[in-house]
Amino acid sequence: MKKRIISILLAVTMLSATLAGCAGNSADSGEKTTGNKKGTQETTAAGADSEKETGEEQTAGEGEPVKIKFLNRWAEDTVLGAAIYKACQDFMEKNPNVEIEYDAVAGADDTQFYEKMKTAAATGDMYELFQNYGGSTIYSYVESDVLYDLTSEFEKDKEWKDNFLDLFSMWEYQAKEGVYGVPFTDFATVLYCNKDMFESRGLKYPETISEFEAVCDKFLEEGITPVPMSGEGWRFAHLLSGLVMRKYGEDYIYDLANGKEKYTGDKMLELVNLMKSWQDKGYFGENIASLDSATEQALFSTEKSPMIAIGTWQPTNILENNPEFLDRKGVDVIWFPAFDDKMDLKGGSMGGPNEGLSIAKKDEATTAATVKLVKYLTSPEVVTEIWKADPTQIFAVKSATPPEEMNYLTKECIDLINNTATGLMQEIDQYSTIASLQDRLRNSLAGMVAGNSPEAAMKEVQDEIDSHN
């Protein structure tokens, strides 16, 4: 764990620090569920008042002394962490009454991160600001009235909210009115295709499930694994979530969260059995229960497989693992194929906000300063500078400017999301208030890959839900 007190002296001595980027998973209809509210991604640009958002309206020395403890996974010795750390320094120069305690979890370790959160909450010394994924991962803090509702801030400064992509559903809950965080980065799960491996065989990229299966069968005839996928639970949870969006749409996810639909129902079993059939046919490779995600990515990068289904966080790894891809623009990105009878949902996928920022309730002065810091970190000007340092990221701030240095594949990912997405939703378990559901779903899917039946796997998931009712 890396923990530092950032002071003004430290800010002065580190002005030469390299600026680096933040890294990194739908318009609100007003309908809510037991978990998160409904939302679809909006992609139109909106301007922002730079004076309001950069914190420059406060004169030096104004305001009582405030300390903000900021828990995150952006370690200062990483590219992305250096940018956030530098932005905090700059904020303190503009607001000398504010001291930021930057507490970054080394290695972005989730277990260590959540343990620190639990300890802080239990001791009554909650972090004023913390990075998070929203959804069920922070619901206990929402339920216990620990987090600050941003609704009043958005009412006072509509331009600030409007400058985000409309990805707030992960921080909105039925059981607790309000908005308990803002999105910072965003993503989608997509299908990367090797251009040469398709063109040399006279094949077109698949747009439908039937075309996908035909293409996979063609490659299998040549002894080529079409779309390698590790047997890790998170990989199949991501795939399942995307299939749900393309088959049933977001309403079904909310119905799962509300209990109107069950994991053991016919709709879910149709999709889980479909995934299992693809595994049995060999689309994902052999013995995938022992295959890890690094190996599956290597198969694609070394051009032994024509496709890989993974997220928009992946272009840099793909291009760095095979520089020839960059030279010849040898990889394209498309949505995972749509169901033949549901082409209206072809732009649906697992995706949306990846990381966000939430504020804990504190005294008035501290909360006001923390809101101001969040506005600063999410302002178009600051995000644009962060993006220059790390062009691999995709941000949820509309009018931030992507850097010219960004690789072509990341640009294709942004274009795909901003211009063709019809709906992006996080992993299906995240819209429940049951924090343990994600582990249960992922473990059950991994068990299915290892040999359990789809029916047995989904029964485990439904039993977990029923045990909380």
Side-chain angles (χ1 to χ4, degrees):
M1 173 60 61
K2 207 170 194 180
K3 185 174 182 179
R4 297 185 182 176
I5 304 292
I6 310 177
S7 65
I8 299 304
L9 286 176
L10 183 56
V12 172
T13 60
M14 296 191 68
L15 284 176
S16 61
T18 303
L19 187 63
C22 305
N25 241 93
S26 12
D28 185 8
S29 69
E31 179 180 347
K32 301 179 187 177
T33 71
T34 53
N36 298 96
K37 288 171 65 177
K38 183 184 287 189
T40 56
Q41 186 176 19
E42 175 182 289
T43 57
T44 57
D49 185 333
S50 61
E51 181 178 302
K52 283 197 296 184
E53 295 193 352
T54 58
E56 293 179 359
E57 79 279 9
Q58 180 168 313
T59 59
E62 184 179 343
E64 61 184 271
V66 168
K67 180 178 179 179
I68 299 172
K69 300 184 296 298
F70 180 15
L71 179 66
N72 60 79
R73 301 175 181 84
W74 296 315
E76 304 97 299
D77 59 357
T78 65
V79 173
L80 82 95
I84 303 300
Y85 190 76
K86 173 68 162 57
C88 289
Q89 294 175 338
D90 293 343
F91 180 82
M92 287 192 299
E93 287 188 5
K94 301 174 190 294
N95 301 273
N97 64 305
V98 178
E99 177 186 35
I100 301 172
E101 183 177 295
Y102 191 92
D103 194 345
V105 176
D109 183 271
D110 274 351
T111 301
Q112 189 179 16
F113 181 89
Y114 287 116
E115 281 302 316
K116 289 186 72 68
M117 284 275 291
K118 290 176 183 177
T119 300
T123 58
D125 190 26
M126 187 64 174
Y127 289 90
E128 283 73 22
L129 177 63
F130 63 96
Q131 173 193 359
N132 65 89
Y133 303 124
S136 61
T137 64
I138 65 165
Y139 179 70
S140 62
Y141 302 111
V142 173
E143 187 178 35
S144 57
D145 206 30
V146 171
L147 301 189
Y148 179 62
D149 176 11
L150 291 166
T151 301
S152 62
E153 303 296 337
F154 293 143
E155 290 172 349
K156 288 185 291 185
D157 189 354
K158 188 175 183 295
E159 286 187 48
W160 180 41
K161 184 176 184 181
D162 287 348
N163 201 47
F164 292 99
L165 294 175
D166 196 357
L167 301 174
F168 289 91
S169 65
M170 295 304 291
W171 293 277
E172 298 176 307
Y173 304 84
Q174 180 196 30
K176 191 84 170 177
E177 285 290 339
V179 185
Y180 295 92
V182 298
F184 192 53
T185 58
D186 65 300
F187 79 104
T189 53
V190 294
L191 186 68
Y192 297 98
C193 300
N194 182 306
K195 186 182 298 185
D196 288 350
M197 292 186 75
F198 275 85
E199 290 182 350
S200 65
R201 293 166 175 80
L203 298 174
K204 295 181 179 180
Y205 298 148
E207 294 185 6
T208 66
I209 293 295
S210 61
E211 291 175 357
F212 171 73
E213 292 180 336
V215 163
C216 287
D217 291 339
K218 175 67 176 177
F219 282 109
L220 278 176
E221 290 174 4
E222 300 182 39
I224 296 171
T225 298
V227 54
M229 184 173 294
S230 76
E232 297 167 287
W234 70 272
R235 296 291 283 115
F236 275 75
H238 285 194
L239 177 60
L240 177 59
S241 299
L243 291 174
V244 164
M245 284 296 291
R246 282 179 285 278
K247 183 68 173 179
Y248 307 123
E250 62 189 55
D251 285 343
Y252 176 74
I253 295 177
Y254 290 110
D255 286 344
L256 283 173
N258 283 327
K260 294 179 181 178
E261 294 282 354
K262 294 185 179 296
Y263 281 81
T264 50
D266 290 343
K267 288 182 178 180
M268 179 62 73
L269 289 176
E270 178 183 350
L271 299 184
V272 179
N273 274 291
L274 179 63
M275 294 194 303
K276 183 63 174 174
S277 73
W278 290 344
Q279 178 192 353
D280 293 342
K281 290 178 181 179
Y283 290 0
F284 304 140
E286 297 181 359
N287 303 316
I288 67 171
S290 58
L291 181 71
D292 60 27
S293 55
T295 304
E296 71 172 80
Q297 293 169 37
L299 288 170
F300 181 76
S301 295
T302 56
E303 305 191 68
K304 294 178 180 178
S305 292
M307 298 175 283
I308 187 168
I310 202 164
T312 52
W313 58 82
Q314 200 63 317
T316 299
N317 287 339
I318 290 172
L319 298 176
E320 287 181 349
N321 289 338
N322 187 343
E324 290 185 7
F325 280 152
L326 181 60
D327 296 336
R328 67 175 194 261
K329 292 189 175 180
V331 177
D332 287 322
V333 59
I334 63 174
W335 293 119
F336 195 91
F339 287 90
D340 296 64
D341 60 342
K342 292 293 182 69
M343 293 303 292
D344 58 317
L345 297 177
K346 65 180 180 180
S349 187
M350 178 191 161
N354 186 23
E355 299 163 319
L357 295 169
S358 294
I359 297 171
K361 285 183 177 179
K362 293 296 176 77
D363 62 86
E364 184 176 350
T366 301
T367 299
T370 309
V371 169
K372 190 174 182 182
L373 173 59
V374 174
K375 284 189 174 185
Y376 179 80
L377 293 176
T378 59
S379 66
E381 295 81 7
V382 171
V383 172
T384 294
E385 289 303 309
I386 291 171
W387 223 343
K388 288 179 184 178
D390 189 354
T392 68
Q393 306 305 320
I394 301 178
F395 288 96
V397 178
K398 292 177 185 175
S399 54
T401 304
E404 294 181 3
E405 299 81 3
M406 180 178 285
N407 67 67
Y408 86 92
L409 196 53
T410 299
K411 289 179 181 178
E412 283 191 12
C413 289
I414 293 174
D415 181 68
L416 190 72
I417 293 173
N418 287 359
N419 297 318
T420 68
T422 57
L424 299 175
M425 295 285 280
Q426 278 278 5
E427 193 172 306
I428 54 176
D429 52 80
Q430 286 298 294
Y431 296 87
S432 167
T433 58
I434 302 172
S436 60
L437 188 57
Q438 182 179 81
D439 284 344
R440 179 66 274 162
L441 177 63
R442 292 182 175 189
N443 290 338
S444 294
L445 289 172
M448 181 190 73
V449 170
N452 290 343
S453 70
E455 290 75 15
M458 292 302 97
K459 184 178 184 303
E460 290 177 344
V461 178
Q462 190 61 50
D463 286 348
E464 177 70 20
I465 294 170
D466 293 344
S467 72
H468 288 81
N469 294 332

